[in-house]
Amino acid sequence: MESVAGTVTHDPPPAAGGRQGGPLIVTEDSELLDDLLRLCAAAGATPEVHHGVPERRGSWEAAPLVLVGDDAARRVRGAVRRRGVVLVGRDQDDSGVWRRAVEIGAEHVLMLPDGEQWLVDRIADVAEGVGRPALTVGVIGGRGGAGASTLACALAVTSAREGLRTLLVDADPLGGGLDVLLGGEAAEGLRWPAFASSRGRVGGGALEESLPELHSLRVLSWDRGDRIAVPPQAVRAVLAAARRRGGTVVVDLPRRIDDGVAEVLTQLDVGVLVVPAELRAVAAAGRVASAVGMVLRDLRVAVRGPYPPGLDDREVARLLGLPLVGEVPDEPGLSRPDEGTAPPGAAPRGPLARFCKGFWERALVEAGAA
């Protein structure tokens, strides 16, 4: 066990998909119980409450999370050892709490009120059935007009077609809206301004259900209003909620790095820098890569032709000092959906869809999610 500010913190054990219900609370301390019930309500979970180990067979073992009040540690000492047990107390100066935690096999020791936010998040995780977080990919143009939005849409459309839960996030308020590129600017659902006041934790399921659904994926885009930014803490909360749902998250990034974009970059697994094969574009992309690389460790380059003499995709990657994803192919006849055509990547056998499918196959294997 490792203590941080009075709280033993570990990654939560993996959980199966789907909602799993609320935690099991074991305590006779009425004040502590009131606090734990309040925190469960804040997390959207309904707990089962007992004074000791439940008499009903299997209740102790089956609960997704067990919260044992320090007053009840002695009464659960003989219970079957299991993961996900939290010993909850109030006395920061009680050194004996660590011994009692070991005696009951607790993975965490948490002191209220300091650990309240951690506990709310943990309860909500088990209530939502959180498992492996979404593989999150950001796409950014090396220069204006590089085709980053087109590739982001194609990656999301391809992911959804492969049966993965997919969320496409438009992080560029000046880009015109990815819902427009997907032909869904009139689709019902919330846009970024609706989340501007978000703080703390946003429910993953509620977020997903509130967004427009286009081409079997969910889209978080901008509306046509005057707001062109949301606070960084709101960006953090929304992206964290999106990632908890699993599957894939694709983010279309602007070339400028402000506080909100920096929050997105911290939650990316992979960044893809789209660079046309032009010397000026490579020079511009180098500056973008330097800025992004200050936050994002795994940044790769995807190159768009045609190529001038002496320049190809490998040379572009070498000049930028980045791993090469590959050459992004042109999609013949690709135009705006409002002109009567499908969105980028919609043709399963098209060159862009094949490129995106290959990207996901490699990325999922690297992430250990395949």
Side-chain angles (χ1 to χ4, degrees), residues 318-340:
R318 187 192 70 80
L319 290 171
L320 291 171
L322 297 174
L324 177 64
V325 171
E327 179 184 350
V328 182
D330 287 330
E331 185 89 358
L334 181 64
S335 59
R336 288 166 49 90
D338 58 4
E339 293 174 352

Side-chain angles (χ1 to χ4, degrees), residues 1-304:
M1 291 185 293
E2 179 182 356
S3 175
V4 179
T7 303
V8 178
T9 57
H10 296 271
D11 291 333
R19 294 190 65 84
Q20 300 204 356
L24 170 65
I25 296 176
V26 181
T27 184
E28 284 186 325
D29 184 330
S30 59
E31 292 185 6
L32 179 61
L33 178 59
D34 286 344
D35 282 338
L36 293 177
L37 291 176
R38 172 175 56 82
L39 297 178
C40 285
T46 302
E48 181 180 343
V49 180
H50 292 268
H51 296 318
V53 177
E55 295 181 2
R56 182 161 52 90
R57 187 172 182 178
S59 293
W60 171 271
E61 296 84 354
L65 180 69
V66 178
L67 308 178
V68 178
D70 194 28
D71 66 290
R74 179 180 54 81
R75 294 193 296 277
V76 302
R77 194 179 299 164
V80 175
R81 295 299 176 100
R82 51 153 292 163
R83 298 183 65 189
V85 175
V86 181
L87 183 62
V88 185
R90 295 178 181 278
D91 187 355
Q92 300 277 1
D93 299 322
D94 181 8
S95 59
V97 70
W98 305 104
R99 174 181 51 80
R100 293 190 291 277
V102 172
E103 290 174 349
I104 68 173
E107 289 185 330
H108 313 271
V109 172
L110 183 136
M111 293 296 172
L112 299 180
D114 292 355
E116 285 194 357
Q117 186 58 57
W118 182 91
L119 189 54
V120 169
D121 289 345
R122 186 69 185 90
I123 295 169
D125 280 345
V126 298
E128 281 193 273
V130 172
R132 184 188 296 274
L135 176 59
T136 306
V137 177
V139 185
I140 186 169
R143 66 153 169 79
S149 295
T150 297
L151 179 58
C153 284
L155 285 170
V157 168
T158 303
S159 171
R161 186 170 53 245
E162 294 297 311
L164 297 171
R165 174 186 280 120
T166 305
L167 173 62
L168 176 61
V169 178
D170 185 354
D172 185 0
L174 303 180
L178 291 186
D179 52 353
V180 177
L181 188 56
L182 291 169
E185 59 267 33
E188 293 185 2
L190 300 183
R191 268 67 173 180
W192 265 118
F195 299 98
S197 61
S198 298
R199 301 290 187 275
R201 183 188 180 95
V202 174
L207 171 68
E208 183 177 0
E209 293 171 5
S210 72
L211 299 177
E213 183 174 8
L214 303 168
H215 307 283
S216 300
L217 59 95
R218 298 286 179 166
V219 182
L220 176 54
S221 189
W222 294 86
D223 61 13
R224 313 303 161 227
D226 296 331
R227 180 181 284 274
I228 59 171
V230 296
Q233 57 267 36
V235 175
R236 182 189 312 126
V238 170
L239 262 293
R243 297 194 72 217
R244 285 197 303 271
R245 295 293 286 170
T248 66
V249 175
V250 181
V251 186
D252 182 30
L253 293 161
R255 294 174 62 237
R256 73 183 193 290
I257 310 299
D258 58 18
D259 290 343
V261 174
E263 285 291 349
V264 176
L265 292 174
T266 63
Q267 299 198 46
L268 296 182
D269 296 304
V270 181
V272 178
L273 181 64
V274 184
V275 184
E278 308 162 357
L279 288 177
R280 287 187 63 191
V282 173
R287 291 191 289 272
V288 175
S290 295
V292 171
M294 295 177 67
V295 183
L296 177 62
R297 292 183 178 181
D298 191 351
L299 180 63
R300 311 176 190 185
V301 62
V303 184
R304 302 188 77 100

